Amino acid sequence: MRIVEELASEAVFDHSARENNVRSFKQMLINYYSNTEYVRTPQQIKRDQWIIYERVRCRAWMIIPVAVLSQFCLGSLYAWSIFNKPIDEYIYNDPIANKAQITFYIALGMLGASGAAFGPWIESHSPRMCAAIAAVLFFAGHCTAALGLACKETGIMYFGYGFIGGIGMGVGYVTTIDAVIQWYPNARGLSSGLAVSGFGSGAMAFSNLNSELVHKFTLPQVFFILGSVNFVVMLLCALLMRPPPPDYNLPGVAVEMAEQSVADMHNSHSRSLQQTIKGRSATVGGQTITVGSDAGDPVLIITLSQALSTRDFWFLWVAFFVNLVFGVVIISNLASMTTNMFGSKALAPVTMIVTIEGAFNATGRLLMGWVSDWAGRRRTFLFIITLQIVIVACLLFLIPEHKFWPFVVLVWLATFCYGGGVGVIAATLADMFGAPNMSACHGVMLTGWSVAAIGGGLTYTSVVSVLTGSKGFTLQDPYVYVINQYWILSLLICGWFFLLLVRVKPRERMYPRVHGQVLCHTLAGFMFRLARGTAQHGLHDYEFLSAASQPEDALRTGIDDRASESDGGSILSGMQKMDSTSRTHRLGGRIQSSTDMHGAAGIQETATISTYMQEDALLNDKHHTPEAFNYVSENRKSVHPNGADPRGSCVQLMCAMPPTRRCITLFKRWRLEHVSKEEVATVWRMYLSCALLASTSSEK
């Protein structure tokens, strides 16, 4: 007993080493998902410029056919339903054993899991190397599956095609889409949709090819032949894969600021806002905004860890997951469903139905990706899920009627929606979190594909097994398929509401808060905000603005300037009298001026920006007197020189028009506001400009 106590006091219950290991492992994961930059030497950059060194230069259009062809080989997975009955009969002597289709679910599951696990690694390495590794793994998966079939061992087939082949599919899928989006930053939806349409097109060709091979060769030979053909094509595509040159893409997400133009002022001291904020960075909404271009375009820099920790990413994950569930279930079971439900009454061969289904899959990826470029990502995604809800609701009534063509057409449309969601998601992630994070974010997003394949597929199979086993139903009974539509429809409705909450644009995610804000969301282009309290105080409601005392002569000068502008004079004359080193700006037709001014103690240097937001009709309105505000920075580290309360600002504003909002009072405690588009645009411009000008003046 004494020995045990001595050991316990010294070592047995000492968990410090284990805690250190856990802490170091967690830090390792954080570092892995934070450092995704692909660093190349000058020699590598020079080599990547050529397809054939110093003979054929790599162009953006060359990447598209390479990506489509590589995705086409990976898309052979979608023709798996052709193998279900032959494999079940070959191994179990029972064509309805329903064991072979589990391979499809495992492969799709590993596609998403490997994308999440290897996404940061893919982002930080050469796409040529990643694509070559994907080709090797995909070939190894086919060979292992052939071995399992030769031994009639389902487990080896699951491990080969499902696990190893699924990893190869995940690495190859993410690599090719990332390469295409990197080359086409201005047409992300169309380019990514075109690339993944190759994946959907795989079912069109391989469904017929698989049928022919099954009739002419044994199943082990079929898998070896398919693996060899795919390996040769994918390896050739990998050798042609190239990343774009450095600085081809923005380092983050382009932030819509305002219509920017340099004021045409005949003043030697005038200087554009773009020149003033160029090269500056500021923290806005907890994230970094950087201006690095001559045009003064702000860029939102988002780290991968920040992207994965936002609610918008996971709301989008839920919407993507529910979009895939029905498609995964239908694609893997369409051949058997058609045969079981209609049998000899089927009005078209199963092979033709599967082939046309692949065409709808590919068309949805291409068309919806292109539509999202001009209609918006969220609107397109909402349309896709809404159409899926209508289709599933119709199937609830059509399946019991045993109507062949309505059933088949609705399934094709559902596959179109399935492909559309896959075609839009990559461009959506690039828009939300930046091209540098696309591979890793896309990889994590593909785990929704994994959950849909494994969870949705196995749920469907379990329901069918229970109904045909203990409940006495047969596979020819429509009820077996109708009951599965109910839980799919419930998921789609939930996903539709989650998608409404996704904020795609940076302006929506980072728009400044008001005091007492509970919720702020943009819906159908209109911003709605729920806040505590029933009274509105105009611009005083915003947290980033605090009232500032404005000298009477300066305020009077501002009023005189308003009148002078209405008479054709310069609105800037009064502000320029304050300091001979004033800098003038014009943003979107609204005059702004930033001036170097010193505080009372001569210690703090303050940049002043004057913003007049009223229309010409309000210039002479005496009820709209200019008000002075201090910009309150997020860190609130700036302290007034006299030791007063923290001002948290180094930018001062003058605004003449308080915003008007439509408001509904709820339970005498909250207010629901409809914020006008004019207010959103103006306040956002003020918020962003002040943050960047504050960083400019604070560094002087």
Side-chain angles (χ1 to χ4, degrees):
M1 187 68 173
R2 181 181 60 81
I3 297 176
V4 173
E5 291 177 352
E6 289 178 357
L7 290 174
S9 62
E10 294 178 3
V12 173
F13 296 102
D14 185 7
H15 298 291
S16 58
R18 183 182 302 175
E19 291 175 355
N20 290 334
N21 290 334
V22 173
R23 193 177 299 112
S24 61
F25 178 73
K26 181 180 179 181
Q27 187 61 41
M28 182 183 68
L29 284 179
I30 293 174
N31 293 336
Y32 175 68
Y33 279 92
S34 298
N35 303 319
T36 58
E37 183 180 2
Y38 177 34
V39 180
R40 290 180 283 173
T41 63
Q43 292 78 12
Q44 289 175 321
I45 295 174
K46 186 176 181 180
R47 285 197 302 267
D48 288 337
Q49 294 176 355
W50 304 91
I51 296 294
I52 301 176
Y53 190 68
E54 294 187 350
R55 290 185 179 273
V56 180
R57 185 178 291 273
C58 181
R59 304 294 183 185
W61 64 267
M62 298 178 181
I63 304 299
I64 290 290
V66 171
V68 171
L69 197 56
S70 179
Q71 292 274 338
F72 182 82
C73 294
L74 297 174
S76 60
L77 171 69
Y78 280 154
W80 180 265
S81 60
I82 301 297
F83 290 130
N84 284 340
K85 288 192 174 183
I87 290 177
D88 285 335
E89 187 173 4
Y90 184 81
I91 296 178
Y92 300 102
N93 293 322
D94 182 8
I96 58 173
N98 290 330
K99 300 293 183 181
Q101 63 190 16
I102 297 177
T103 310
F104 177 84
Y105 300 142
I106 296 174
L108 271 185
M110 290 310 302
L111 188 154
S114 60
F118 298 109
W121 178 81
I122 294 170
E123 192 72 63
S124 58
H125 288 79
S126 168
R128 183 166 56 251
M129 181 184 69
C130 297
I133 292 175
V136 172
L137 290 173
F138 198 46
F139 176 64
H142 278 81
C143 292
T144 309
L147 177 62
L149 288 169
C151 300
K152 294 191 175 182
E153 288 290 339
T154 311
I156 298 178
M157 182 183 66
Y158 291 163
F159 177 76
Y161 194 91
F163 185 79
I164 300 177
I167 293 176
M169 280 186 279
V171 174
Y173 187 90
V174 175
T175 299
T176 52
I177 294 178
D178 178 57
V180 168
I181 284 185
Q182 295 280 357
W183 277 102
Y184 289 91
N186 296 324
R188 289 168 173 165
L190 178 60
S191 59
S192 62
L194 187 59
V196 297
S197 67
F199 198 95
S201 302
M204 299 172 58
F206 283 96
S207 58
N208 293 308
L209 179 61
N210 292 349
S211 297
E212 293 295 328
L213 292 176
V214 165
H215 288 94
K216 294 182 179 180
F217 301 95
T218 64
L219 284 175
Q221 291 174 335
V222 169
F223 274 82
F224 182 77
I225 294 172
L226 289 175
S228 301
V229 172
N230 288 330
F231 174 72
V232 172
V233 175
M234 291 177 64
L235 190 60
L236 290 176
C237 292
L239 295 176
L240 299 176
M241 197 75 67
R242 297 288 188 278
D247 301 326
Y248 192 85
N249 284 274
L250 289 174
V253 183
V255 178
E256 181 185 358
M257 184 175 177
E259 296 179 2
Q260 300 182 2
S261 60
V262 180
D264 184 16
M265 302 296 297
H266 300 287
N267 189 326
S268 59
H269 300 291
S270 65
R271 187 181 181 189
S272 69
L273 178 63
Q274 291 93 321
Q275 293 172 327
T276 304
I277 63 179
K278 178 186 175 183
R280 301 297 176 181
S281 297
T283 300
V284 179
Q287 295 174 328
T288 303
I289 293 284
T290 299
V291 181
S293 64
D294 293 329
D297 299 322
V299 176
L300 174 62
I301 307 297
I302 307 175
T303 64
L304 180 60
S305 56
Q306 287 176 328
L308 298 180
S309 61
T310 59
R311 67 177 177 89
D312 300 283
F313 178 88
W314 295 107
F315 284 170
L316 184 62
W317 186 95
V318 173
F320 183 61
F321 157 72
V322 300
N323 166 250
L324 297 177
V325 168
F326 184 55
V328 168
V329 169
I330 288 296
I331 287 174
S332 60
N333 294 279
L334 179 59
S336 57
M337 284 177 62
T338 305
T339 303
N340 293 330
M341 288 176 59
F342 300 99
S344 59
K345 297 181 180 179
L347 302 179
V350 173
T351 304
M352 187 193 78
I353 295 173
V354 174
T355 302
I356 298 177
E357 180 195 39
F360 272 85
N361 191 349
T363 304
R365 294 167 186 247
L366 176 60
L367 184 60
M368 290 294 99
W370 172 70
V371 168
S372 70
D373 280 336
W374 56 268
R377 314 294 183 202
R378 187 173 61 184
R379 289 192 187 98
T380 306
F381 221 145
L382 281 170
F383 168 77
I384 290 170
I385 296 183
T386 302
L387 184 57
Q388 278 187 309
I389 292 173
V390 174
I391 290 170
V392 175
C394 292
L395 285 175
L396 290 174
F397 299 97
L398 287 176
I399 289 178
E401 300 294 330
H402 279 87
K403 294 183 178 180
F404 179 79
W405 283 117
F407 167 77
V408 171
V409 171
L410 287 177
V411 167
W412 286 342
L413 289 176
T415 308
F416 174 89
C417 296
Y418 168 82
V422 175
V424 171
I425 193 65
T428 305
L429 292 172
D431 287 352
M432 291 177 64
F433 306 113
N437 294 320
M438 206 290 296
S439 287
C441 288
H442 195 198
V444 177
M445 185 63 65
L446 289 181
T447 58
W449 211 343
S450 303
V451 177
I454 298 176
L458 294 182
T459 300
Y460 173 87
T461 304
S462 300
V463 171
V464 172
S465 299
V466 169
L467 292 177
T468 56
S470 59
K471 301 299 181 180
F473 292 95
T474 64
L475 291 176
Q476 289 73 34
D477 197 320
Y479 182 78
V480 172
Y481 308 103
V482 170
I483 197 66
N484 273 299
Q485 306 303 316
Y486 283 104
W487 63 266
I488 292 175
L489 181 61
S490 302
L491 286 178
L492 285 170
I493 294 174
C494 292
W496 190 87
F497 282 105
F498 272 98
L499 186 57
L500 283 180
L501 301 177
V502 175
R503 300 167 298 178
V504 177
K505 296 182 179 179
R507 177 185 293 187
E508 298 175 3
R509 301 200 302 270
M510 302 166 60
Y511 190 76
R513 293 173 55 87
V514 297
H515 295 287
Q517 177 174 308
V518 177
L519 177 67
C520 183
H521 192 69
T522 301
L523 184 62
F526 299 97
M527 179 174 287
F528 298 93
R529 183 167 54 208
L530 180 65
R532 299 183 186 91
T534 58
Q536 294 183 357
H537 304 285
L539 291 175
H540 293 273
D541 289 332
Y542 288 94
E543 293 180 350
F544 81 101
L545 294 175
S546 64
S549 58
Q550 180 72 14
E552 291 184 4
D553 53 348
L555 184 59
R556 186 165 49 253
T557 303
I559 299 174
D560 295 339
D561 290 338
R562 283 199 304 152
S564 64
E565 186 190 33
S566 64
D567 296 333
S570 172
I571 196 171
L572 295 171
S573 58
M575 294 301 297
Q576 289 174 356
K577 291 178 184 179
M578 293 183 183
D579 197 293
S580 61
T581 61
S582 63
R583 295 188 298 273
T584 61
H585 317 294
R586 179 184 295 271
L587 295 185
R590 293 179 173 86
I591 304 293
Q592 298 182 333
S593 173
S594 67
T595 307
D596 292 337
M597 299 180 65
H598 294 278
I603 298 175
Q604 184 179 10
E605 187 174 321
T606 304
T608 302
I609 178 170
S610 175
T611 305
Y612 289 82
M613 296 181 295
Q614 73 278 11
E615 303 296 335
D616 293 339
L618 296 176
L619 287 173
N620 296 320
D621 189 352
K622 297 181 181 179
H623 297 288
H624 294 92
T625 304
E627 295 183 74
F629 295 92
N630 284 331
Y631 164 70
V632 181
S633 60
E634 291 187 4
N635 52 25
R636 291 174 170 81
K637 292 180 180 178
S638 179
V639 181
H640 195 276
N642 295 333
D645 294 335
R647 293 175 57 190
S649 69
C650 50
V651 175
Q652 196 174 82
L653 303 93
M654 285 182 59
C655 304
M657 187 189 76
T660 56
R661 315 180 192 112
R662 296 179 180 178
C663 178
I664 300 176
T665 302
L666 302 176
F667 305 108
K668 298 182 179 180
R669 297 181 59 184
W670 298 285
R671 65 181 187 276
L672 179 63
E673 300 175 333
H674 167 229
V675 187
S676 65
K677 294 182 179 179
E678 292 77 11
E679 178 182 347
V680 172
T682 303
V683 171
W684 172 252
R685 180 177 60 253
M686 291 163 51
Y687 183 48
L688 203 55
S689 301
C690 287
L692 293 166
L693 286 171
S695 66
T696 301
S697 61
S698 63
E699 293 178 7
K700 291 184 180 180

